[in-house]
Amino acid sequence: MTGVYVASSDAESDKRTIALGMTELLAGTVDSIGVFRPIVAEQGRDPLLETLRRRFGLGDPYEDCVGVTYQRVHTDPEEAMSEIVAAYGALSARHSAVVVVGTDYTDAVTATEFAFNARVAANLGTPVLLVVSGADRGTAGVRSEIAVVHAELAREHATRLATVVDRVHPDGTSGLRERLEGIAYVLPDVPGLSSPTVRDLQRACDARLLFGDAERLARETSGVDIASMSLPALLDRMTADRLVLLTADRAGSLLPALLAAHTSPDFPSLAGVVLTGDTEMPEPVWRLLTGMDVRLPVLTTPLDTYTAATRLAPVRGGLAPLSDKKIESALATFGTAVDGPELLNRLRVTRTGAVTPLMFEYTLLDRARADRRRVVLAEGTEERVLRAADLLLRRDVVDLTLLGSPREVRARADDLGLDLGAVDVIDPDSSELRDRFAEEYASLRAHKGVTVDLARDTVREVSYFGTLMVHCGLADGMVSGAVHTTAQTVRPSFEILRSGLVSSVFFMCLADRVLVYGDCAVVPDPSAEQLAEIAASSADTAARFGVQPRVAMLSYSTGASGTGADVDKVRAATDQVRQARPDLELEGPIQYDAAIDPGVAHTKLPDSTVAGRATVFVVPDLNTGNTLYKGVQRSAGAVAIGPVLQGLRKPVNDLSRGATVRDIVNTVAITAVQARKDERDT
């Protein structure tokens, strides 16, 4: 078991970026990971621990991830240390690696809190990843602080893994990095990491939500403005992501105008409005607002404006689990500034042969980032797509093109508080590419009687427009389907990009492994020849994404025990794959339980290298496949990524209309990796 203790030297450093980055680094390398906080506050759940558990889908109960409270340390430090060691031991026994995150300097546990953290690390036997703040410190100050805490670690007999200097102004990172080479990694201050959300500010002034989406309370704010001027002056001074304080008795004259300006692309998008004082809103204004589709959070507080502003001014982020935007910004910063392989080498971590869902996702994003591609997202005004685009840009994974009206896309992004400045936005209705695409599509489909005039209307549809961008080399792949049906998404690719039999796979991410199911979405009733082609394609797709292919050709019968047309088809397909691809580990016909359960496999096929350990499951028909993957998805809590299409010259992938933001991120990354492979094959 590998453990690492993330400890900061003072309250000015911010361990959140380091804790997130170290957890992702280990999650992408080992098959099971835990997180642990030795000391937490008495009340509520620890925000950083909850951030780590949610982001990495960790299944340990919260109570198993904590040691003791600050009060317990004050009362009996020695007994508290014993309890911390015991709790850590119980958690670490279940995992290959554990990330331990030290105290936050919110309630000092001893005269020197860092010394206590060093003592805990020594007792746990975990090396310390030291975090030192570079905020408002010159090189001499940083060197002095590092020397002091290194000596402190030595006095407590704790081992230092590495040192990270964080919160450095971006303009000074390169110079400081050169002066500290061999001593420490240098991280720039993560933009917005300490910015409070609307919810942070809501709690600080005891406000409640009157109107708007509760989800928008997670939006980051750039500061607080007091609406004490006239409407023209207020509109002229509006800036993005601000929380506006407005006395309730002025709401009738100013609030409707603020809401209108917020939704207009000609004005910056606000984070929220707080009405101060106990004055009731005039009834006509209340009636007007309740009839509007108000999405901007409008809150009310009993505090007067001065008191509310005084309470809000010092608030920093961190009162709640981090938002996805902040998490991805932190991970991107860590990944760029810290040499992950070097850290793993110092920890002597060996990559496991298994592929867990976290490892799959980590490797996927890393491979996409290593060779950037451009992916077009056809549904450019859909909220989930916009949020996914924001996260992809923060992680620097791909270049993106969104389809839709630029004005509408930008306004929607501003309303959601998203930074999509690096995204290209193209409107198929007005783009100069429309005529070019119409001529190209008419040429491709002339045998079907398609003329340029007919094609000009067809290519206005976003799925056709996006597919033609891929065909013409203006994008490397396309993702759609969050709003459109599968038929609307894939029909253009069948017409324009087909290179052979088009089939699909789902990546089924279970708690401890990733499996590949094909074909569960495209070919209704494949022949033996088609089934053999699907098996070979699915095996290649699995290997491309780091899943060692051991192919099970599923049927209601195992081995030679069954007869009938359906099992004969699977048997014939298996023989064809063996002849065409002798390099593949293959078994069939085989029942699902014999393919996945080692105990059943030992009874039914004791000499098989695939039975009981299959990773690629090829179903005999679409009815079986769709039922199988949805059954596993629901009953086992698996995450299904796909369908990922095979048999196209360039990648186009479909989303479920219930796709989450994370599903979209993963599908875009898969598309980018497919594009790399497809380019090498051409």
Side-chain angles (χ1 to χ4, degrees):
M1 200 284 301
T2 299
V4 59
Y5 196 111
V6 180
S8 53
S9 64
D10 56 35
E12 293 304 312
S13 60
D14 193 333
K15 297 184 301 299
R16 294 177 295 178
T17 296
I18 315 304
L20 280 161
M22 199 68 218
T23 305
E24 183 180 60
L25 183 61
L26 286 169
T29 309
V30 301
D31 57 7
S32 178
I33 189 166
V35 292
F36 183 72
R37 294 216 76 175
I39 310 172
V40 294
E42 193 81 31
Q43 301 296 324
R45 293 198 166 195
D46 182 78
L48 177 53
L49 189 53
E50 289 295 82
T51 295
L52 294 169
R53 293 175 70 243
R54 174 175 60 84
R55 172 60 179 82
F56 297 103
L58 306 182
D60 296 303
Y62 176 85
E63 293 73 19
D64 291 358
C65 302
V66 300
V68 299
T69 64
Y70 284 96
Q71 184 59 42
R72 182 68 175 136
V73 177
H74 287 309
T75 303
D76 190 340
E78 295 306 317
E79 183 61 26
M81 183 69 75
S82 297
E83 294 175 18
I84 289 170
V85 172
Y88 174 77
L91 179 70
S92 63
R94 303 199 293 264
H95 298 291
S96 301
V98 176
V99 176
V100 186
V101 187
T103 59
D104 291 328
Y105 292 82
T106 54
D107 184 6
V109 293
T110 65
T112 32
E113 186 163 344
F114 179 76
F116 187 86
N117 279 286
R119 201 170 308 132
V120 173
N123 278 278
L124 299 184
T126 54
V128 175
L129 181 54
L130 175 64
V131 188
V132 173
S133 173
D136 302 320
R137 280 189 176 130
T139 303
V142 170
R143 283 181 174 272
S144 175
E145 179 72 4
I146 290 174
V148 169
V149 290
H150 282 189
E152 193 82 44
L153 288 173
R155 278 193 295 271
E156 297 297 340
H157 307 289
T159 302
R160 181 180 64 89
L161 174 67
T163 301
V164 177
V165 180
D166 74 340
R167 300 196 62 203
V168 178
H169 192 282
D171 293 340
T173 53
S174 59
L176 185 59
R177 189 176 291 116
E178 290 176 5
R179 291 188 287 273
L180 295 179
E181 186 175 359
I183 300 174
Y185 300 111
V186 177
L187 268 68
D189 205 7
V190 180
L193 189 62
S194 296
S195 299
T197 64
V198 178
R199 183 175 284 107
D200 290 330
L201 299 177
Q202 175 191 18
R203 290 170 176 163
C205 66
D206 302 320
R208 61 184 177 87
L209 184 65
L210 274 180
F211 304 103
D213 291 346
E215 292 182 358
R216 306 289 176 97
L217 296 174
R219 180 169 180 171
E220 299 163 18
T221 65
S222 61
V224 177
D225 290 330
I226 299 175
S228 59
M229 55 193 74
S230 66
L231 178 59
L234 181 61
L235 293 176
D236 190 50
R237 288 169 173 77
M238 278 179 62
T239 53
D241 302 321
R242 306 290 282 187
L243 185 79
V244 176
L245 294 182
L246 174 65
T247 57
D249 58 2
R250 298 188 70 204
S253 58
L254 293 182
L255 186 55
L258 282 175
L259 294 174
H262 166 76
T263 58
S264 169
D266 297 320
F267 289 90
S269 175
L270 298 174
V273 176
V274 175
L275 305 179
T276 61
D278 288 325
T279 305
E280 290 189 5
M281 189 181 300
E283 191 279 333
V285 178
W286 179 269
R287 188 161 18 102
L288 171 65
L289 294 176
T290 54
M292 297 173 61
D293 180 21
V294 179
R295 308 189 71 183
L296 179 73
V298 178
L299 307 101
T300 180
T301 175
L303 303 177
D304 61 71
T305 302
Y306 175 79
T307 304
T310 302
R311 284 199 189 181
L312 297 180
V315 176
R316 292 181 64 189
L319 301 178
L322 292 177
S323 67
D324 288 343
K325 288 169 55 178
K326 291 183 177 181
I327 290 171
E328 300 307 326
S329 293
L331 289 173
T333 300
F334 181 91
T336 301
V338 174
D339 188 338
E342 182 184 59
L343 270 186
L344 293 176
N345 185 55
R346 291 188 185 188
L347 278 172
R348 296 180 174 84
V349 176
T350 303
R351 179 174 290 275
T352 178
V355 180
T356 68
L358 285 175
M359 293 173 64
F360 180 77
E361 181 180 292
Y362 177 84
T363 304
L364 187 61
L365 295 179
D366 200 44
R367 290 181 63 191
R369 188 184 299 112
D371 188 9
R372 288 174 67 94
R373 298 290 159 182
R374 177 168 294 278
V375 176
V376 57
L377 300 175
E379 298 150 326
T381 57
E382 163 61 29
E383 179 173 334
R384 289 166 294 159
V385 171
L386 291 170
R387 292 190 183 279
D390 179 75
L391 297 185
L392 287 160
L393 292 174
R394 288 175 185 272
R395 295 301 300 275
D396 201 29
V397 176
V398 291
D399 295 319
L400 292 173
T401 297
L402 298 180
L403 299 186
S405 161
R407 183 182 178 90
E408 186 178 351
V409 171
R410 300 295 183 194
R412 189 84 172 102
D414 288 344
D415 182 41
L416 296 170
L418 306 176
D419 181 7
L420 299 183
V423 169
D424 290 338
V425 183
I426 298 177
D427 187 351
D429 278 338
S430 58
S431 172
E432 60 185 18
L433 293 170
R434 185 177 167 190
D435 287 340
R436 173 185 170 185
F437 287 174
E439 292 178 3
E440 182 66 21
Y441 181 68
S443 174
L444 291 170
R445 303 294 290 174
H447 64 288
K448 293 291 186 179
V450 176
T451 65
V452 172
D453 287 339
L454 289 173
R456 193 171 283 110
D457 286 334
T458 300
V459 302
R460 291 176 56 200
E461 297 178 29
V462 291
S463 292
Y464 275 96
F465 193 93
T467 303
L468 282 159
M469 285 188 68
V470 176
H471 170 70
C472 293
L474 302 176
D476 299 297
M478 185 187 80
V479 173
S480 187
V483 176
H484 294 82
T485 65
T486 294
Q488 289 172 316
T489 298
V490 304
R491 184 186 297 115
S493 63
F494 279 38
E495 295 177 359
I496 298 168
L497 298 173
R498 184 198 298 262
S499 62
L501 176 67
V502 179
S503 61
S504 72
V505 297
F506 279 90
F507 289 97
M508 302 298 294
C509 299
L510 282 74
D512 60 346
R513 54 191 148 167
V514 176
L515 304 176
V516 177
Y517 289 4
D519 170 15
C520 305
V522 179
V523 185
D525 187 15
S527 64
E529 292 75 15
Q530 290 175 321
L531 200 58
E533 188 172 343
I534 290 169
S537 296
S538 300
D540 290 341
T541 299
R544 187 183 310 174
F545 290 97
V547 178
Q548 183 179 348
R550 292 187 289 271
V551 183
M553 306 291 287
L554 296 181
S555 179
Y556 60 75
S557 172
T558 294
S561 63
T563 59
D566 291 337
V567 73
D568 289 344
K569 179 178 78 170
V570 176
R571 187 173 290 116
T574 303
D575 291 340
Q576 291 180 33
V577 179
R578 283 201 176 102
Q579 292 176 15
R581 294 291 301 274
D583 57 304
L584 292 178
E585 290 188 79
L586 180 74
E587 190 64 67
I590 186 171
Q591 292 161 288
Y592 189 85
D593 59 349
I596 200 167
D597 188 309
V600 176
H602 181 72
T603 301
K604 294 188 174 183
L605 289 171
D607 298 325
S608 173
T609 62
V610 172
R613 53 199 295 267
T615 56
V616 179
F617 298 79
V618 179
V619 299
D621 54 59
L622 189 56
N623 182 55
T624 304
N626 196 267
T627 303
L628 174 64
Y629 102 79
K630 288 186 176 178
V632 172
Q633 181 184 32
R634 299 299 178 185
S635 62
V639 176
I641 302 176
V644 177
L645 298 184
Q646 308 169 141
L648 300 175
R649 287 186 292 105
K650 295 183 179 181
V652 169
N653 285 313
D654 183 32
L655 297 165
S656 163
R657 276 173 285 175
T660 65
V661 172
R662 194 165 178 179
D663 292 337
I664 299 171
V665 168
N666 287 334
T667 303
V668 171
I670 282 175
T671 305
V673 173
Q674 282 182 298
R676 293 176 58 197
K677 173 65 166 58
D678 293 342
E679 182 176 270
R680 289 196 297 270
D681 287 348
T682 56

